[in-house]
Amino acid sequence: MNQNIYVVIEHLRGQVAEISYVMLAGARELAKGLGGNVIAVLLGHKAQELAGNPSASSGKYLAADSVLYIDHPALADFTSDAYQKALTNLIAKDQPRAVLFGSTSIGTDLASTLSIKLGLPMVSSTRSFSADGKFVSQICGGKIMAEGGLPSPTALVTMVPGGYKAEQGQSTQAPAITQVEVPVLESLRVTLANYIEPESGDVDIAKEPVLVSVGRGIQNQDNIILAEDLAKALGGAVSGSRPVIDQGWLATSRLVGKSGKSVKPKIYLALGISGAPEHVEGITTSDTIIAINTDPAAPIFGVAKYGSEIDMFDLIEILTEKVKQSKGG
Amino acid sequence: MNIAILVKLVPDLVEELTIDTSGVALDTAWLRLIINEFDDHAIEQGILLKERGGGQVTVVAPDIEGVDDVLFTAAAKGADRLIKIKGDFTGVNNHALARAFTTVVKELQPDLILTGVQANNDLDGSVGPLLAGCLEMPYVGYISGVSLTEGKSKVRKEYPGGLIAEMDVTLPAVLGIQAAEQPPRYVAVSKVRQMMKTSTIEERAESGLDMAGGPTIGRMFQAEAGQRATMLTGSPDEVATKLVGIFKELGVL
Ligand SMILES: Cc1cc2nc3c(=O)[nH]c(=O)nc-3n(C[C@H](O)[C@H](O)[C@H](O)COP(=O)(O)OP(=O)(O)OC[C@H]3O[C@@H](n4cnc5c(N)ncnc54)[C@H](O)[C@@H]3O)c2cc1C
Ligand SMILES: Nc1ncnc2c1ncn2[C@@H]1O[C@H](COP(=O)(O)O)[C@@H](O)[C@H]1O
């Protein structure tokens, strides 16, 4: 075992995912305390440029001391079977102090299974680390935090965003890249058939100046109209949390959060949304968040600038009326 | 098609959560446990697959207070077999739970195993991919659609922003369900009561709950909001007036 921190870089269709930078920042914090290096692990096919070139959006590089690159046609797009096989060999051979994965569609397909396969301990939903080797994870929809020492010998960790800014994991210098031997990737049981592009909705919620966003607290489809009236009066649109979309009360294009869109309105008015981490992930870029929620312990109040514990059904129509009056007068 | 669905119970987040005197766990005395909502989606997806292509659906759950209700509700929705794993599951982590499920799944020999993509109290990974590791089966999570053909499944895996990857997965496999193709169906309480009379819950004993692989928690605490929101109080009329003032200040009115 050594004190190096490995970060499995996530990328999707030629773009490094933001969580990769967040993980590099977390890894740096750990490595500083432990005296190890931060090593990015990149799997792909003809994807070396993802580490060798600066990112198109930030103009920056992965803030790693070095990059281990594994190239194979079967790794071109993420599939759990091929990625797992490739990582099993690498982790078993190198025995780093920790391997960080995103708590994402990619990372969660890998970390737990590798924990069993390699007999290594794991921690999930980790938000931050401290230099003395502790992790802090977030559970119960963001209501509870759990802290502990990074388990030994090699800890497999899935990370959520929120603890570090992506910029902290970006650097102006290109890291050195080492190509790693390709494992045998045969008889794969999971293969990519194709991608299906997101449905484009009637409005792009990422571009709206005001969002009236509804959560499970809206209770049923008939009440959506209340939010629509308010949104119209404010010159914005209606968006929603995952349960509202899963119930079919709003179109998928209106989903805010981890599996939906990140939004950046001037005002994000959250009605009956608890503020689970998967939702909050998509709203932190809003200018001002205002939350209406009857539960004083709702995590949404931790990210909102203004809040009220009032029942939304006592408020919405009066508010819509006052907004209309204010515009008229 | 033989489908096994594994469910667990989790804290109901609507209730107030408190930390127990040990300082490292939730106080279970006041905890209300409910089915993990993503496991509920897994049940729905399993029943939809059975309705479309036939087969048998078995729902397996650990013996935790409230589990009988969860299992009978699944039966009312259309599950054929109900299995409860007996044992003391208080404070048991997902590594131990996955190992306990493994024994039962090996007995059932299903073609397909469904479970919720994650649960709100997961601290050592989620049950689905841990189980896949134990069974040496493939795992794919973040699933919101499944179709089955001979020996294979085609799944819709979700990526951010609404992007979907369609993947082919060789069976038997474990799938982590994010959302069923339709919202979990509602069943009347009377139907669940009827199931309590007509269906049986089979029991299996756990074969040693091995928690190895999970972290040791040194401290658990409430997420105290960094800068808490400025709270607006008063009657609905007063709160609405204050909000209009804020909207004006922010330049949207
Ligand atoms: C892999 C994954 C990806 C996910 N992606 C997303 C995502 O992109 N977006 C997303 O939103 N979620 C996502 N989720 C789901 C997320 O974990 C939460 O389950 C979800 O955000 C909860 O939605 P909610 O706040 O509307 O519902 P709840 O958590 O049930 O909250 C409802 C809130 O309404 C309040 N309320 C009830 N009645 C009233 C009333 N009359 N007046 C005022 N307040 C009231 C309650 O106090 C409660 O806080 C994802 C989950 C997973 C596992
Ligand atoms: N504190 C830090 N934050 C982010 N990246 C760092 C940090 N320290 C070092 N690095 C990265 O490690 C590389 C080598 O660092 P150094 O040799 O310490 O200058 C730099 O190019 C950065 O990519």
Side-chain angles (χ1 to χ4, degrees):
Chain A
M1 196 192 68
N2 53 68
Q3 299 300 322
N4 293 338
I5 310 298
Y6 280 24
V7 175
V8 178
I9 300 302
E10 296 198 358
H11 56 96
L12 192 56
R13 300 209 293 176
Q15 287 276 83
V16 173
E18 182 126 321
I19 190 72
S20 302
Y21 299 109
V22 171
M23 292 192 282
L24 287 167
R28 180 63 60 192
E29 178 127 32
L30 267 180
K32 253 188 216 150
L34 297 166
N37 287 320
V38 172
I39 297 176
V41 180
L42 180 66
L43 292 82
H45 183 49
K46 299 186 176 139
Q48 199 158 357
E49 67 203 47
L50 290 177
N53 297 345
S55 116
S57 53
S58 68
K60 298 275 183 63
Y61 299 91
L62 302 170
D65 298 314
S66 62
V67 178
L68 298 177
Y69 176 55
I70 309 183
D71 188 290
H72 192 287
L75 300 172
D77 290 271
F78 174 75
T79 56
S80 54
D81 207 12
Y83 268 58
Q84 248 171 46
K85 288 195 167 107
L87 288 167
T88 303
N89 294 343
L90 184 75
I91 298 168
K93 185 165 68 64
D94 292 4
Q95 300 183 18
R97 179 66 187 86
V99 185
L100 312 188
F101 300 85
S103 180
T104 61
S105 196
I106 291 176
T108 59
D109 271 15
L110 299 171
S112 300
T113 311
L114 287 169
S115 166
I116 296 289
K117 271 176 95 167
L118 292 162
L120 294 173
M122 82 163 285
V123 188
S124 50
S125 296
T126 297
R127 230 177 104 96
S128 61
F129 297 103
S130 53
D132 61 349
K134 288 208 178 82
F135 67 86
V136 177
S137 289
Q138 182 179 38
I139 55 170
C140 294
K143 284 187 164 181
I144 301 289
M145 310 302 269
E147 184 189 82
L150 201 65
S152 298
T154 299
L156 308 180
V157 184
T158 60
M159 279 193 82
V160 294
Y164 303 95
K165 288 195 166 65
E167 299 87 75
Q168 293 173 270
Q170 294 170 344
S171 167
T172 49
Q173 283 171 268
I177 303 172
T178 314
Q179 191 134 348
V180 178
E181 201 184 321
V182 188
V184 178
L185 297 176
E186 280 170 0
S187 4
L188 297 171
R189 299 164 299 176
V190 180
T191 50
L192 175 73
N194 56 279
Y195 287 109
I196 302 172
E197 300 303 322
E199 292 164 33
S200 55
D202 47 341
V203 291
D204 182 356
I205 55 168
K207 297 201 174 110
E208 290 290 323
V210 176
L211 286 174
V212 175
S213 208
V214 293
R216 187 148 31 202
I218 196 79
Q219 288 175 3
N220 57 53
Q221 181 149 30
D222 295 342
N223 290 331
I224 298 283
I225 183 98
L226 299 173
E228 275 169 355
D229 287 345
L230 177 56
K232 203 185 290 166
L234 284 165
V238 175
S239 56
S241 69
R242 178 104 208 192
V244 171
I245 275 73
D246 284 345
Q247 286 296 325
W249 301 339
L250 283 174
T252 308
S253 58
R254 304 289 180 121
L255 175 61
V256 176
K258 185 189 184 95
S259 45
K261 284 195 169 142
S262 288
V263 297
K264 39 185 185 310
K266 278 194 193 149
I267 293 181
Y268 186 81
L269 179 60
L271 304 172
I273 293 178
S274 63
E278 294 86 1
H279 186 80
V280 169
E281 208 178 308
I283 67 173
T284 46
T285 37
S286 307
D287 285 350
T288 303
I289 298 169
I290 305 174
I292 309 299
N293 194 310
T294 45
D295 176 8
I300 191 81
F301 291 129
V303 290
K305 175 128 193 249
Y306 301 101
S308 179
E309 289 167 33
I310 198 166
D311 186 320
M312 67 158 117
F313 295 112
D314 294 336
L315 176 75
I316 307 181
E317 281 159 300
I318 297 175
L319 181 59
T320 305
E321 210 38 55
K322 283 192 191 285
V323 168
K324 282 184 187 160
Q325 276 169 18
S326 149
K327 285 203 299 192
Chain B
M1 185 68 59
N2 192 347
I3 302 170
I5 303 166
L6 313 180
V7 307
K8 73 176 218 179
L9 284 84
V10 297
D12 184 352
L13 302 181
V14 171
E15 306 287 318
E16 194 186 336
L17 304 176
T18 50
I19 311 296
D20 72 12
T21 48
S22 74
V24 300
L26 288 175
D27 192 341
T28 50
W30 303 100
L31 215 53
R32 206 173 88 91
L33 296 172
I34 54 169
I35 185 171
N36 168 26
E37 73 171 298
F38 305 105
D39 292 345
D40 206 22
H41 279 270
I43 291 177
E44 182 61 37
Q45 187 62 55
I47 304 227
L48 286 173
L49 287 171
K50 175 185 145 179
E51 287 171 350
R52 281 207 300 257
Q56 190 183 48
V57 169
T58 306
V59 179
V60 188
D63 186 8
I64 289 174
E65 198 186 324
V67 68
D68 288 7
D69 263 356
V70 165
L71 289 172
F72 286 127
T73 304
K77 291 177 175 188
D80 304 287
R81 275 179 82 183
L82 312 173
I83 297 179
K84 173 161 75 177
I85 309 179
K86 298 285 282 182
D88 184 5
F89 287 89
T90 329
V92 156
N93 68 16
N94 283 340
H95 277 72
L97 189 55
R99 289 179 183 120
F101 279 138
T102 300
T103 314
V104 179
V105 170
K106 280 186 174 158
E107 175 204 321
L108 295 173
Q109 301 260 323
D111 305 291
L112 179 66
I113 300 154
L114 304 179
T115 188
V117 63
Q118 69 179 48
N120 69 34
N121 61 355
D122 290 347
L123 262 175
D124 60 331
S126 26
V127 169
L130 289 168
L131 181 82
C134 295
L135 292 163
E136 297 185 40
M137 285 183 192
Y139 171 82
V140 183
Y142 283 55
I143 302 296
S144 59
V146 183
S147 60
L148 298 172
T149 50
E150 209 38 60
K152 274 209 162 193
S153 61
K154 180 158 265 170
V155 301
R156 289 164 62 93
K157 178 177 177 64
E158 293 194 357
Y159 284 122
L163 178 70
I164 303 282
E166 275 198 307
M167 291 188 183
D168 291 306
V169 188
T170 307
L171 300 179
V174 183
L175 301 179
I177 304 296
Q178 163 87 62
E181 287 156 40
Q182 66 181 42
R185 65 195 67 192
Y186 174 79
V187 284
V189 179
S190 59
K191 198 161 175 212
V192 178
R193 287 224 186 85
Q194 192 190 323
M195 283 299 151
M196 289 178 180
K197 295 195 191 101
T198 55
S199 51
T200 46
I201 295 178
E202 299 170 46
E203 292 183 356
R204 298 289 184 277
E206 50 89 356
S207 42
L209 292 169
D210 177 6
M211 306 232 283
T216 305
I217 303 307
R219 187 165 79 102
M220 200 174 268
F221 53 102
Q222 308 269 355
E224 66 270 2
Q227 2 79 282
R228 201 180 148 78
T230 303
M231 298 305 276
L232 312 175
T233 53
S235 67
D237 201 278
E238 287 161 346
V239 172
T241 303
K242 287 176 190 170
L243 283 172
V244 167
I246 292 167
F247 296 157
K248 281 186 179 153
E249 206 178 291
L250 295 171
V252 301
L253 278 184

